Amino acid sequence: MKGLNIKIIISFLGLTSMLNGMFMLFAVPFSMYYGESEKWGILQAGLTTIVIGFILWFFNRNAKKNLGKKEGYLIVTLGWLMLTITGTLPYVFTNSIPVYTNAFFETLSGYSTTGSSILTDIESMPKGILFWRSATHWIGGMGIIVLTVAILPLLGIGGMQLFMAEAPGPSADKMHPRITETAKRLWLIYFILTFTEFFLLKIAGMTWFDAINHAMATMSTGGFSTKNASIAHYDSFPIIQYIIIIFMFIAGANFVLTYFALKGKIRKVFKSEEFRYYFFGTIGVTLLITYLIVNYQDSDLQTSLQHAYTWGETENAFRHAAFSVVSVLTTTGFVSADFTMWNSMVTAIIFSLFFIGGSAGSTSGGIKVVRHIIMIKSSFYEFKKLLHPNAIIPVRYDGGSVPKTIIYNILSFFVLYMLIFIVSSLLLTFFGLDFLSAMGAAASSLGNIGPAVGSVSPVDNFAHLTIPAKWFCSFLMLIGRLELFTVLILLTPFFWRKN
């Protein structure tokens, strides 16, 4: 198409593929250590991905370096699809997930940090494959696009367009004025926090293999576990669950604020309006659910859930309430107990958290806390305008005035998000799900959460979905991860018009 730099797009996809293949090779030593024959399939998948990427990059390496908004949106969306398509190869070459639809679903669920799974017996999977499965979370968590932004300047390409397409939310915070330095520091923080959690989980009682997998899944707010029961497997190790709660919360916060916190600028962290809502909101909802669990729980249900925790102990109720709230709010999706088996009000509260999300600038999905803050303030602004129609009353956030363009963008995002959720719920019923399960699958996939309600509850998975339903949920996971506009703009006719 005239005006569109196709060669730079293909070159970037090649670079993305090569990086993805290199990450695959990290799974080979794990497979070798455990004496698994699947190591050859993983090695073949990694090398194949690298070769594909090298060919795409090599024949387009001399492309013109101009990179506009259209190229940025195409590169991000196609980059994620390239990651997913090549990321299925370890599953396919080892025959670990023989059905390609399932392999694609599991892979995209990994890269999008959704955590929904089609695996019915996770613990029987080869260790090398389980490591790769967790690695897809870790790669997708911060976004391999951001990683590549740090490399592009070496090739003479600016990365701002890509960064804005990867993180199109309302937050414009920067740790450093140069986008390349920002990307590098984001990844450094990401790595340090992942390693720290791995170290603490190992000390707390996890095996080194489980610790590294759960650390990657936590910091990416992904939720893939190496255990069939997820974190409920470690119910006799409360310290493990508390460690994961803390790191899930950190992963759901703005990474720029995490950077300031690591530098000792705690006051600057709490000056953030979004963080204050995120912090105190999490505590408030946790205490409310703890109270409801302890005081309004059916006695028969208490007996049936004795294997999960002792209901007479407030600490157990608080821990599982905190775990469920933080897991859903940050869209991590780890499970310590089946929240759908608590009383109906608790289930309704937790389901409402599906539509909140973590902070802008974090690895979590969902609508994001800052958007809710600005929407609520904008609503009150309209009430004031009714009483004082001639008054100029700006919507203020973090001490500054929010431009109307940002407010309109946020309102448009919210309306579109809810419209997609409603339509998706209806379509999933057409694909064979009951309405409650369809709502749960739609909300979970769009918000990149993982466990939901109905037949896709925390103790179930997505294996029973029909093939069309799995492909549709995969689409929802993709647009949810890239915050709707980045993908959906490609489906509009005016995007493809020649300028």
Side-chain angles (χ1 to χ4, degrees):
M1 178 181 293
K2 186 178 179 181
L4 197 61
N5 193 341
I6 299 295
K7 285 194 172 184
I8 194 66
I9 296 172
I10 297 175
S11 174
F12 181 85
L13 295 181
L15 185 60
T16 302
S17 184
M18 284 192 285
L19 289 170
N20 202 32
M22 291 175 187
F23 274 110
M24 287 180 198
L25 297 181
F26 284 112
V28 175
F30 288 88
S31 196
M32 292 177 65
Y33 178 81
Y34 288 99
E36 298 169 342
S37 60
E38 286 82 4
K39 60 181 176 290
W40 301 114
I42 299 172
L43 178 62
Q44 183 184 358
L47 294 177
T48 301
T49 302
I50 291 172
V51 169
I52 291 172
F54 179 78
I55 292 172
L56 292 175
W57 171 79
F58 183 79
F59 288 103
N60 295 279
R61 68 189 186 282
N62 295 322
K64 293 181 180 179
K65 307 304 182 183
N66 58 304
L67 190 63
K69 284 187 176 180
K70 286 189 176 182
E71 286 84 359
Y73 285 118
L74 277 168
I75 283 173
V76 171
T77 302
L78 296 178
W80 279 84
L81 289 175
M82 174 63 79
L83 284 174
T84 303
I85 292 169
T86 55
T88 62
L89 297 183
Y91 299 127
V92 174
F93 285 5
T94 61
N95 206 37
S96 299
I97 305 180
V99 179
Y100 189 77
T101 295
N102 290 340
F104 188 92
F105 182 95
E106 195 79 11
T107 306
L108 185 53
S109 179
Y111 284 119
S112 63
T113 71
T114 303
S116 301
S117 182
I118 50 80
L119 298 179
T120 55
D121 188 4
I122 297 169
E123 294 174 33
S124 68
M125 296 291 286
K127 293 292 195 294
I129 290 297
L130 287 180
F131 177 83
W132 171 242
R133 182 171 173 260
S134 299
T136 58
H137 268 343
W138 200 76
I139 297 166
M142 183 59 68
I144 201 169
I145 308 300
V146 177
L147 173 64
T148 312
V149 164
I151 297 173
L152 284 178
L154 301 177
L155 308 177
I157 305 171
M160 178 60 77
Q161 295 93 331
L162 294 181
F163 188 85
M164 294 307 294
E166 167 68 7
S171 176
D173 291 326
K174 295 288 184 294
M175 294 178 290
H176 191 278
R178 293 187 61 185
I179 192 65
T180 302
E181 292 302 316
T182 297
K184 288 178 180 177
R185 295 184 188 198
L186 285 172
W187 269 96
L188 180 61
I189 294 170
Y190 194 51
F191 179 82
I192 290 172
L193 289 174
T194 303
F195 180 81
T196 302
E197 186 186 0
F198 157 72
F199 181 73
L200 293 175
L201 289 176
K202 180 66 178 70
I203 293 176
M206 275 192 181
T207 65
W208 69 273
F209 180 78
D210 289 339
I212 193 170
N213 279 271
H214 285 95
M216 288 194 293
T218 302
M219 288 314 303
S220 64
T221 65
F224 278 157
S225 175
T226 56
K227 303 298 181 183
N228 291 328
S230 189
I231 309 304
H233 178 87
Y234 299 99
D235 197 56
S236 57
F237 295 87
I239 186 62
I240 287 178
Q241 296 185 348
Y242 279 119
I243 289 170
I244 293 176
I245 289 172
I246 292 170
F247 279 90
M248 282 193 298
F249 183 85
I250 293 172
N254 190 320
F255 266 64
V256 175
L257 296 181
T258 303
Y259 172 78
F260 291 138
L262 291 175
K263 294 194 71 175
K265 299 179 180 179
I266 304 299
R267 291 185 64 183
K268 194 164 186 176
V269 173
F270 277 92
K271 280 184 179 180
S272 168
E273 197 169 344
E274 181 185 38
F275 183 80
R276 292 198 301 272
Y277 276 91
Y278 174 60
F279 181 78
F280 292 111
T282 300
I283 294 174
V285 175
T286 297
L287 293 177
L288 173 61
I289 290 179
T290 301
Y291 176 79
L292 292 172
I293 291 173
V294 171
N295 295 285
Y296 296 95
Q297 191 61 49
D298 180 75
S299 58
D300 293 333
L301 191 56
Q302 290 180 31
T303 304
S304 69
L305 292 180
Q306 285 296 318
H307 70 280
Y309 42 80
T310 305
W311 287 90
E313 298 178 4
T314 304
E315 184 277 328
N316 278 322
F318 171 79
R319 173 161 39 93
H320 289 290
F323 196 100
S324 297
V325 169
V326 176
S327 180
V328 171
L329 186 62
T330 62
T331 72
T332 304
F334 276 142
V335 176
S336 69
D338 184 1
F339 57 77
T340 63
M341 295 296 287
W342 296 335
N343 65 69
S344 298
M345 186 174 182
V346 171
T347 304
I349 292 171
I350 292 180
F351 185 70
S352 68
L353 297 179
F354 279 41
F355 301 93
I356 303 296
S359 303
S362 71
T363 58
S364 62
I367 294 175
K368 303 294 192 302
V369 174
V370 64
R371 286 193 175 100
H372 287 281
I373 294 172
I374 293 176
M375 280 192 296
I376 292 171
K377 287 191 172 187
S378 179
S379 298
F380 279 104
Y381 162 82
E382 293 301 326
F383 288 141
K384 290 180 180 179
K385 288 288 289 183
L386 289 174
L387 294 175
H388 308 285
N390 296 321
I392 299 175
I393 310 171
V395 176
R396 305 190 70 82
Y397 173 76
D398 271 349
S401 178
V402 181
K404 285 190 177 292
T405 53
I406 296 293
I407 297 173
Y408 295 151
N409 178 278
I410 289 172
L411 293 175
S412 298
F413 179 91
F414 181 77
V415 170
L416 184 60
Y417 191 99
M418 297 308 297
L419 180 62
I420 291 173
F421 163 68
I422 294 169
V423 173
S424 299
S425 298
L426 294 174
L427 283 175
L428 285 171
T429 60
F430 178 75
F431 293 141
L433 289 175
D434 63 89
F435 189 59
L436 180 63
S437 301
M439 289 178 60
S444 173
S445 299
L446 190 59
N448 306 128
I449 296 164
V453 294
S455 64
V456 287
S457 72
V459 295
D460 299 297
N461 62 19
F462 286 66
H464 66 281
L465 267 64
T466 62
I467 288 178
K470 288 173 183 173
W471 282 106
F472 185 70
C473 285
S474 297
F475 173 71
L476 292 179
M477 288 189 284
L478 178 65
I479 64 173
R481 172 58 195 174
L482 298 180
E483 301 207 356
L484 308 187
F485 294 132
T486 305
V487 179
L488 296 181
I489 195 172
L490 304 183
L491 305 180
T492 60
F494 50 80
F495 179 86
W496 300 101
R497 288 174 187 164
K498 297 178 181 180
N499 295 329

